Amino acid sequence: MIPGPIEFENEVLQRMSVPTPSHVDPEFISVFANSLHLLKEVCQSPSAQAFIIAGTGTLAMDMAAANLTETGDKVLVISTGYFGLRYADILKRYGAEVDILTSEVGNIISMEDIEQQLKSKKYKLLAFTHVDTSTAVLNDAENIGALCKKYNVLSILDGVCSVAGEEIKQEEWGIDVVVTASQKAIGVPPGLALLVVSQKAIKAFEARRHPVANYYSDWTNWLPVMKAYENRQASYFATPPVNLIMALEVSLKRIFEEGLENRFDRHRRTGKGMRAAIKALRLESLPKDDKIAANTLSAPLYPNHIDASAFLQAVNEEGIILAGGLLADLKSEYFRIGHMGSVNKADLLATIGAIESALKKSGFKHELGIGTAQILKHL
Ligand code: PMP
């Protein structure tokens, strides 16, 4: 129950264990084409360009930055935690002049403050984290997208902890680039960098004055490959991670069997149930307000006088693995529960049950079952 890698469905894992076909095998070409198509559908962005590349979420972030920024470009990063700061670092590597708006921990930056900043100079690009995995805060992607449209700024949404768990209407909301990875709500073991890029962003890439300063990430190499596979033709720049892409197709198909709306709704109910259980146990959470709390993970604070590592160990002894805090300054103040992808009611009951037992062992007084009752109530 950590916020990625999540637990994967057997069908997805089994697909990875078949003998690896050639990357130009006709059957694999069709798998690649389907995966590219379904990935765009997950982001509700049918006219965009999808990229499926061997790598991780960080490579997806890096690729968008490498292709869309040049030395001297003005870029705004909206940082709500650990991964916002990472994005700022990446963008600086490509010579961008980066301004960072940093929220207080557990909060977001208001639309007024973002708009004020966008008014203050002509930015080329804005990057933000949709679900901040370090704080369990959910940014308002729709309204950030609208502001970027209003000020004609390209937008990058880091959706590593949100895509296929939180609703994203990329095209309707005017988000130019969604970057993500396989190992979270997409439901495939680590190893894929995934991008969905608007035609507007592709045009901005094509209008570059200088070559992309990163050989592997350069869309000049990858665009013809992705377009060829979309048109069910083989192409080569660097060997695709064949088995992972086959697993991706299985997972994406399962996502659409469930239905996007149903899936987002299930995540909403899961998030709500988890937050209610945490509240019933009288634990505070890092997000300042339920309105800005993510549905893919939760970030409760430890009660006073509880030893963080002893608590996590006690939860572990109940068969549940949780993640510690990610923000360096607050590492021993909070923990994280991932609840995205194929997580079900039994997983949630077991998790809250383990947390209740561990709290009891740590000397925290609560009525046993008071948290699990909330899961039953909400799911
Ligand atoms: N962004 C966010 C929001 C993340 O949660 C993560 C991974 N936890 C990353 C970026 C980086 O992804 P990866 O570890 O796959 O490189």
Side-chain angles (χ1 to χ4, degrees):
M1 299 295 286
I2 66 170
I6 64 160
E7 224 168 83
F8 305 111
E9 305 247 20
N10 285 339
E11 210 188 329
V12 171
L13 295 175
Q14 277 158 10
R15 193 72 173 132
M16 291 193 66
S17 67
V18 304
T20 304
S22 157
H23 61 292
V24 298
D25 182 298
E27 212 177 299
F28 175 69
I29 292 171
S30 154
V31 166
F32 206 152
N34 291 343
S35 302
L36 285 163
H37 170 71
L38 292 173
L39 179 61
K40 291 193 291 185
E41 295 293 315
V42 167
C43 295
Q44 307 194 60
S45 197
S47 65
Q49 177 64 55
F51 294 83
I52 299 174
I53 313 276
T56 72
T58 306
L59 178 75
M61 296 165 80
D62 197 25
M63 185 177 254
N67 284 279
L68 293 176
T69 52
E70 297 187 61
T71 304
D73 282 347
K74 292 180 176 51
V75 171
L76 180 61
V77 171
I78 309 297
S79 175
T80 40
Y82 187 94
F83 291 102
L85 295 178
R86 172 172 295 187
Y87 225 144
D89 280 348
I90 293 171
L91 288 155
K92 283 180 198 160
R93 287 288 174 100
Y94 296 107
E97 287 173 19
V98 181
D99 292 332
I100 311 178
L101 283 181
T102 307
S103 70
E104 60 170 327
V105 173
N107 212 342
I108 58 168
I109 296 172
S110 71
M111 289 306 136
E112 292 73 31
D113 288 352
I114 296 175
E115 178 151 23
Q116 201 62 35
Q117 192 65 34
L118 287 175
K119 265 187 201 162
S120 72
K121 60 170 100 152
K122 179 68 197 121
Y123 288 104
K124 177 178 182 189
L125 191 107
L126 175 151
F128 70 103
T129 319
H130 193 196
V131 167
D132 199 302
T133 326
S134 65
T135 60
V137 152
L138 172 70
N139 271 293
D140 181 350
E142 181 173 4
N143 280 316
I144 294 179
L147 278 180
C148 288
K149 247 193 334 205
K150 180 170 171 191
Y151 290 90
N152 196 22
V153 175
L154 291 170
S155 51
I156 303 180
L157 176 154
D158 170 356
V160 174
C161 203
S162 69
V163 172
E166 303 280 1
E167 178 170 69
I168 299 176
K169 292 185 171 167
Q170 180 177 357
E171 206 152 292
E172 190 183 316
W173 296 350
I175 305 285
D176 288 297
V177 184
V178 171
V179 299
T180 191
S182 48
Q183 73 273 16
K184 302 202 193 216
I186 291 266
V188 177
L192 293 176
L194 307 168
L195 297 95
V196 180
V197 181
S198 72
Q199 295 305 329
K200 184 178 163 197
I202 295 289
K203 284 207 183 78
F205 154 73
E206 286 167 348
R208 289 179 66 91
R209 288 158 290 145
H210 305 286
V212 172
N214 180 319
Y215 183 71
Y216 183 74
S217 282
D218 190 345
W219 285 342
T220 316
N221 296 320
W222 288 110
L223 257 175
V225 176
M226 298 302 143
K227 285 190 166 151
Y229 275 100
E230 266 169 357
N231 293 322
R232 297 180 189 266
Q233 281 161 4
S235 182
Y236 171 77
F237 164 60
T239 310
V242 177
N243 289 64
L244 276 169
I245 295 174
M246 295 194 307
L248 177 67
E249 188 201 26
V250 172
S251 198
L252 290 170
K253 280 183 171 166
R254 288 196 66 120
I255 289 170
F256 283 98
E257 272 161 29
E258 181 178 12
L260 271 189
E261 278 315 313
N262 291 341
R263 190 174 177 90
F264 297 142
D265 185 53
R266 176 169 63 79
H267 280 80
R268 273 183 216 114
R269 280 183 287 120
T270 300
K272 215 169 164 186
M274 272 305 207
R275 289 191 292 277
I278 291 162
K279 249 181 222 144
L281 289 166
R282 288 181 287 118
L283 303 187
E284 305 277 329
S285 285
L286 217 49
K288 295 281 180 229
D289 194 318
D290 276 1
K291 285 202 282 289
I292 57 163
N295 297 305
T296 49
L297 85 157
S298 298
L301 303 185
Y302 297 110
N304 286 338
H305 315 302
I306 278 195
D307 177 74
S309 56
F311 170 79
L312 291 179
Q313 180 57 30
V315 172
N316 200 309
E317 280 160 18
E318 299 285 326
I320 301 291
I321 303 168
L322 300 179
L326 184 59
L327 295 173
D329 295 347
L330 297 174
K331 238 179 167 52
S332 55
E333 312 263 320
Y334 76 107
F335 60 103
R336 294 173 302 146
I337 311 165
H339 35 76
M340 63 192 117
S342 59
V343 67
N344 61 28
K345 185 167 154 186
D347 299 325
L348 302 172
L349 283 170
T351 303
I352 292 296
I355 290 173
E356 290 199 24
S357 298
L359 285 173
K360 196 115 202 151
K361 264 190 209 160
S362 312
F364 183 77
K365 294 207 175 4
H366 64 93
E367 187 189 326
L368 271 181
I370 200 164
T372 47
Q374 290 299 325
I375 299 292
L376 293 173
K377 216 159 141 184
H378 284 84
L379 288 120

